[in-house]
Amino acid sequence: MSDTVLSVSRLSVSFGVKSAATKTVAKVVDGISFELNAGEVLGLVGESGCGKSITAAALMGLLPSPPALMVAEHILLGDKDLSALDESGLRQVRGSEISMIFQEPLTALDPVFKIGSQLSAVIRRHQGKDRKNAFTTAVEMLGRVGIADAARIMKSYPHQLSGGMRQRVMIAMAMACRPRVLLADEPTTALDVTTQAQVLARLADLGRDSDTAILLITHDLGVVAQACDRALVMYCGRIVEQAPVAELFANPAHPYTAGLLAAVPHVSREGVRPVCAIPGSVPHPAALPAGCHFADRCDRADNQCRAHVPRLQSLEESEIAQPHRHACFHPLPKAAM
Amino acid sequence: MTAPTPPLLSIRDLLVQYPAAASGKRTLAAVNEVSFDIQPGSIFGLVGESGSGKTSLAHAIVQLVRPAAGKILFHGDNLVTMKEKELRSARRNIQLVFQDPLVSLSPRRSILQSLLEPLNHFRIGASGQRRSRAMNALETVGLDQGVQHRYPHELSGGQRQRAALARALITEPELIIADEAVSSLDVSVQARILELILHLREKTGVAFLFISHDLAVIQQLADVVAVMYLGKMLEIAPAGTLFRDAAHPYTRALLDAVPAPDPGHDKPLVLSGEPPSPLTPPSGCVFHTRCPAVMKQCEKIQPAEKHIIEPESSPSAHLVRCHLWNS
Amino acid sequence: MIAPSAGTIIATRRGSIAGDRAASSRVWSSLRRDRAGLFGLAIVGLFFLVAVGVWLGWLGQGWSAADGGRWESAGPDHWLGTNVLGQDIFQRAVYSVRTAFEIGLLVALLSTLLGALLGGLSGWYSHSWVDDSILWLKGVLDSIPFYLFVAAVAFALQGWPWAMHLAMIATFWTTTGRLVRGEVMRLKSREFVLSARAIGLPVHLILLRHILPNTLHILLVQATIAFVAAIKTEVILSFLGLGVQDGVSWGLMLAESTQEVLAGHFNNFLAASLMLFLLLLGFNLLADAMQDAFDPRQNAL
Ligand SMILES: Nc1ncnc2c1ncn2[C@@H]1O[C@H](COP(=O)(O)OP(=O)(O)OP(=O)(O)O)[C@@H](O)[C@H]1O
Ligand SMILES: Nc1ncnc2c1ncn2[C@@H]1O[C@H](COP(=O)(O)OP(=O)(O)O)[C@@H](O)[C@H]1O
Ligand code: SF4
Ligand code: SF4
Ligand SMILES: [Mg+2]
Ligand SMILES: [Mg+2]
């Protein structure tokens, strides 16, 4: 694979949580490290509340810093260390070099202006085009995210679009910035399967054509299967498994990954199949169990799991360029082939 | 099952139009001559691509937008022609639940305040009892009473969606319209909300119009499924029938496009071609520009609605709009 | 018992709704952490106490009595000396605090209210004739040079003492109106507002219960900005003779002092400009701190 564009080392984020008497600290992201390569689509999966959006906000430097406290060894974007930049330095990097699609499209679009003017403004700023060229590029970008009547959408206000259209406009906007790194937070949750497939394909094209590295945040393993090259599985602020996608689906090593896989609902001609959700729910970050955070929900848990924190380690067999790593004392055996 | 119960909600030839943005006098038909029935206590699933008119249909039913033509019969009374005053009882009996639970509850009002608002508005129960009604509603959706004083952002996504359901249930409606109500939840939370919806239906006999783009979710819940495309209803069938023997080429394409959670699987077949603009819908069959089975007459003649299963022989008819079934 | 919050809205570009409730307490804690803001608050508080003192008749009552000689220098009788008419400069400067607060409060309150009302109407009925006419009015007001407008109003009203206030209110609301309009349009398509409409809640209740509380942050910040602008404008207008008609204000004192400075007497000038500077400094620090505290990025998560 090609070179690393973003390298994150030991990133932690904590929040002060005030309760009646005491002030505790909730560690929402706990020392995660990963690398993102040019042109790659890296999935970040996990249940909601496990710290995915916070990770993205931390990378963008958008965490509100009184309540949140961020520490990192480094966050290298090219040769810049984002964790050492101040607000004005970050502002220069944001948008042009690292850009983000937010989870909630309605708040991110300005209701006062037409889609066309918002989108062309972004294109003019980031691609240095004049008004007229920016307009044609905007129409073209909308077409690329599968909006058929781009001319009408350009003249519409955000509230006149359907939910899925708004989300695709946001995607077009982020793509128009041509960033080196794109953080996409649940970009397709509001989309139906066909549109989702199309948008994911366009995102992947974007990665390939302009060598943009994409961190695709999602709770949907179907999306990971469809769009990602590699995936990180996150639970309670830690990365618990990391592998190329094909390997991850074929041989999940961590019980949490296996649980997520089993919980994916299927459409089948034979009729309804019961969903097997992982029992229990994500613990609150201020009250995490010691040792392995998954222990309360894991059927393989033993005393070792409750006492010690499992570290990320490579599966022995995979001594390839992109290792399969997991953080579990009792990983699942490799599936029989 | 043979005794025909009168439907709870009947939609007849419903037309919802918006003025097309800044393009002269033209209008855009977001919902185009749609007809269907919802039986009391049933779950009616509605699927369709983004922009196909699902939300517009939902908003028309609760009169958030006034339809341009057609009838919305609730217990046989046409809501479209009613004045705001007369709508009051229908508004009480039809409730909405939205996709994003974070913005569907008023951010600066506590859960209790949000629950009390419809009670006060419709003057349900004596004012002293309203609070205990609110507590009951919380209990019904499986929320702890302590939640009442919290604000929406202090709850988790699953809890918020439960609270939104409690708010919808509190007026004891006969129909709840849920627009993408579980789409933003992850699989494990989603599974629990789906269970809750089935449980509520059992317990209170409330019917649902359940809108989702997720066919797997629809299959878990729905008794009857309808498929929309460019404002038209292309197929309506009992869920079992639809997932087993989909009749319409579009429905089949949708079913084939469901991504398997398995990267080894072939990439799902994306429907060829772009969805056409609702401003200028194709002539004849609206799907003909992308249909793999397109025939000569499809481009000219609108296919009529055709019963594959007659209503008499089954609890619900299987309707399809396609020339393949008209010969 | 606290479950993890799931759906997240992080740092959307503008006011996010998530966490707005906590915002009130967070705004306060953020203000408390902001040294400069606290300093500003202290100054403003002090000035406000002085204004209250004047209102109650405890301070600055001798502002108009000409009981000294012309241009006396500072001394035990007249702490900052006297002006050309022999009036006590210190008393006048203190009394002017009341004038400043009267103008600031009145203009801030009414222009913000007007902005909220017109902006709210225009946002709620966006893209209708109501919106169009309000936008037109705003466009017209924004394009007239301000001092020309005041002069016209003052002239038209023939020395009516409130002409200045009226002119300021009539022009200051436009920024608030624009911001409120955008926020209302944003809120209007939110699902909690749709829910309220779907149960048939009347428009005034929707605006009062669901929309207004979510625009308060804009109104508060805009009101502080309008307060500062009103005091500054008063000084310039009074200097030009278009402002305070009877009474005394820092602007009038500055106008007096132009001749005095030429004659080598700086007391009037220094007293008025120093007080003005202090109050504006205090208010600007406070306004900045409030803007920071209300910054959506602080409240977004
Ligand atoms: N207020 C409006 N003014 C003009 N056009 C509108 C308005 N609301 C919706 N539309 C248009 O109507 C069509 C149907 O929109 P609708 O919101 O019903 O779609 P949907 O099926 O709910 O899609 P999604 O799954 O993406 O939410 C779209 O083309 C949309 O642009
Ligand atoms: N402002 C905040 N104060 C305290 N905790 C927060 C704040 N924002 C988010 N969290 C907590 O951080 C955790 C991770 O949240 P998030 O990254 O949004 O999850 P995800 O995106 O994976 O669903 C959650 O438990 C959430 O409750
Ligand atoms: S370390 Fe133990 S508790 Fe944690 S996932 Fe592995 S087996 Fe389960
Ligand atoms: S009517 Fe023709 S174009 Fe339409 S779905 Fe049937 S076969 Fe395809
Ligand atoms: Mg998130
Ligand atoms: Mg919709």
Side-chain angles (χ1 to χ4, degrees), chain A residues 254-256 292-295 298-302 305 310 327-331:
Chain A
H254 199 282
Y256 180 60
C292 175
H293 294 334
F294 191 56
C298 178
D299 54 13
R300 302 168 79 85
D302 61 11
C305 305
C328 174
F329 293 123
H330 312 292

Side-chain angles (χ1 to χ4, degrees), chain A residues 48 64 87 104 107-108 111 157, chain C residues 6 9-10 13 127 185 190 297:
Chain A
S48 54
E87 178 61 26
E104 216 216 334
T107 37
Y157 291 94
Chain C
I9 305 182
I10 292 186
R13 274 186 293 127
H127 310 302
M185 284 173 70
R190 284 299 174 77
R297 283 227 292 280

Side-chain angles (χ1 to χ4, degrees), chain A residues 152 160-165, chain B residues 18 28 30 50-56 278:
Chain A
R152 169 174 73 99
Q160 294 173 324
L161 310 191
S162 78
M165 289 170 173
Chain B
Y18 299 111
L28 172 159
S50 170
S52 56
K54 308 180 294 290
T55 302
S56 304

